[in-house]
Amino acid sequence: MHVLCLSTSTKLREALTEALGESVVLHFSDPKAPDEKALAESELVVAAKLEPELLARLPKLKVVQITSAGVDGKLYPEMFANGVQVVTGSDVHASACAEHVLAMMLAVARQIPASTLAQKEKHWGISPPLFQLEGKTVGIVGAGQIGQGIATRCKAFGMNTIGLRRNPELPAEGFDVVLPHLQYHELVLRSNMIVLALPLTPSTRWFFGEDEIEIVQRGTYLFNIGRGGLLDEKYVWKALKNKWLAGAGLDVFEDEPLPPNSPWWELDNVLITPHTGGQTDTVAERLAALVAEQVRRMQAGEPLKNIVNPELGY
């Protein structure tokens, strides 16, 4: 079996070589100048994004392993032709994303940004409003691997957890209750903190906007670890400016990198991180372990992990 990694990352190459060992023939190529022989032989391709012109040069392709958890902007109908399966890297990023959300929650609850500013000014006497996560209700929109990772960590802090999922009957670790999409506004009404952990698809774009802001509890915090397009940014910015939402922790935006003239920088109740939610020092090793498991499953004839449904877009 031949595996092609379209990446220039030395760390990823080393991790894949160690994880796969001699079970496969492993090829590495620059995505901009791939080796033709490797393309002709490879059955599994590891890539951040597989361009259509490369797809046409992969006659033996069976599986495309996308390195990211989200695949918005990376899918096209031809990719699924001839029985090719596309799989995501959600296993790789789930725990880091979950920890990132908890870090943002703790930061706003304990007013860490305000304390950091005071420290720079050598000022001790501030008394910002502090609160605990314990006893709060968190509504997590998207109860997949990332959502479940967030929920289990929230439970460790004594929080109540509500999830939203297309199929609420599927197992969902860490949730007190999981609601179907039709009950989305019930989740909004019941939550002190709302976390968006959805993939971005045509049906989830602007998932949180004017309608949700009208019914949200006073004092609610919003966190987005998914994609910037999940927010109707015009209405969410206005809600934060007017304190209809108490605050937000945002790791993603529609316009990235966020330009210096963006109005988001003006809000003192928004914690901004530069799309680092899924980053971790072990990402190469975690991705290599996932690829090795996919190879094992391919060779054993077992179902792959994280298979993308082309109709749903995730």
Side-chain angles (χ1 to χ4, degrees):
M1 180 175 177
H2 290 251
V3 173
L4 171 60
C5 177
L6 293 172
S7 173
T8 58
S9 168
T10 301
K11 192 170 183 180
L12 177 56
R13 293 184 178 203
E14 292 174 351
L16 279 170
T17 299
E18 182 176 352
L20 292 171
E22 299 180 358
S23 63
V24 302
V25 179
L26 190 54
H27 305 276
F28 298 100
S29 286
D30 185 326
K32 297 179 181 179
D35 178 80
E36 289 299 330
K37 184 177 180 180
L39 290 171
E41 295 293 334
S42 296
E43 299 168 71
L44 186 152
V45 172
V46 181
K49 182 178 182 180
L50 184 63
E51 299 294 347
E53 57 267 30
L54 287 184
L55 177 69
R57 293 149 64 188
L58 287 156
K60 295 185 179 180
L61 183 65
K62 295 180 180 177
V63 176
V64 180
Q65 174 68 67
I66 300 296
T67 57
S68 60
V71 290
D72 48 291
K74 301 180 181 183
L75 304 178
Y76 45 91
E78 295 80 5
M79 189 180 287
F80 298 91
N82 303 315
V84 172
Q85 292 184 303
V86 181
V87 292
T88 75
S90 59
D91 290 36
V92 176
H93 307 284
S95 60
C97 287
E99 291 181 15
H100 198 87
V101 170
L102 262 293
M104 290 194 291
M105 285 184 177
L106 288 166
V108 300
R110 308 312 301 167
Q111 289 294 318
I112 302 301
S115 295
T116 300
L117 289 173
Q119 180 180 345
K120 288 182 178 180
E121 297 171 1
K122 301 178 182 179
H123 179 61
W124 178 265
I126 66 167
S127 181
L130 305 177
F131 63 89
Q132 294 176 245
L133 298 184
E134 184 179 10
K136 294 291 189 293
T137 295
V138 56
I140 302 172
V141 185
Q145 291 187 64
I146 292 173
Q148 290 176 51
I150 297 167
T152 54
R153 287 160 176 79
C154 287
K155 291 302 293 181
F157 280 87
M159 301 180 76
N160 307 306
T161 55
I162 305 173
L164 193 79
R165 198 173 201 180
R166 182 179 296 275
N167 183 355
E169 302 301 321
L170 292 174
E173 184 178 358
F175 287 98
D176 296 320
V177 61
V178 178
L179 303 175
H181 281 192
L182 289 175
Q183 292 179 260
Y184 171 39
H185 281 182
E186 181 180 339
L187 176 146
V188 173
L189 286 165
R190 292 169 59 179
S191 300
N192 308 116
M193 294 187 168
I194 298 170
V195 181
L196 302 182
L198 286 168
L200 181 61
T201 69
S203 64
T204 62
R205 181 170 290 279
W206 296 350
F207 208 72
F208 191 96
E210 185 177 20
D211 291 344
E212 290 69 40
I213 290 163
E214 287 183 356
I215 64 171
V216 76
Q217 288 188 47
R218 195 75 174 176
T220 295
Y221 285 82
L222 174 68
F223 302 88
N224 189 5
I225 197 70
R227 288 290 187 268
L230 297 173
L231 298 183
D232 190 335
E233 291 188 351
K234 176 178 65 176
Y235 289 106
V236 174
W237 187 92
K238 185 178 180 181
L240 288 161
K241 180 71 173 178
N242 291 290
K243 303 298 191 291
W244 302 332
L245 285 168
L250 305 177
D251 186 53
V252 287
F253 294 85
E254 286 203 85
D255 190 8
E256 293 184 4
L258 202 60
N261 63 348
S262 170
W264 286 106
W265 298 115
E266 303 170 8
L267 300 176
D268 59 6
N269 58 342
V270 175
L271 177 59
I272 293 173
T273 55
H275 205 145
T276 53
Q279 294 184 22
T280 173
D281 59 345
T282 59
V283 66
E285 291 82 2
R286 295 176 69 87
L287 178 57
L290 174 59
V291 172
E293 175 61 14
Q294 304 285 38
V295 167
R296 186 197 69 76
R297 291 180 178 225
M298 288 175 70
Q299 293 174 331
E302 298 176 6
L304 301 179
K305 301 186 72 173
N306 312 330
I307 297 174
V308 173
N309 184 324
E311 295 182 2
L312 299 178
Y314 65 90

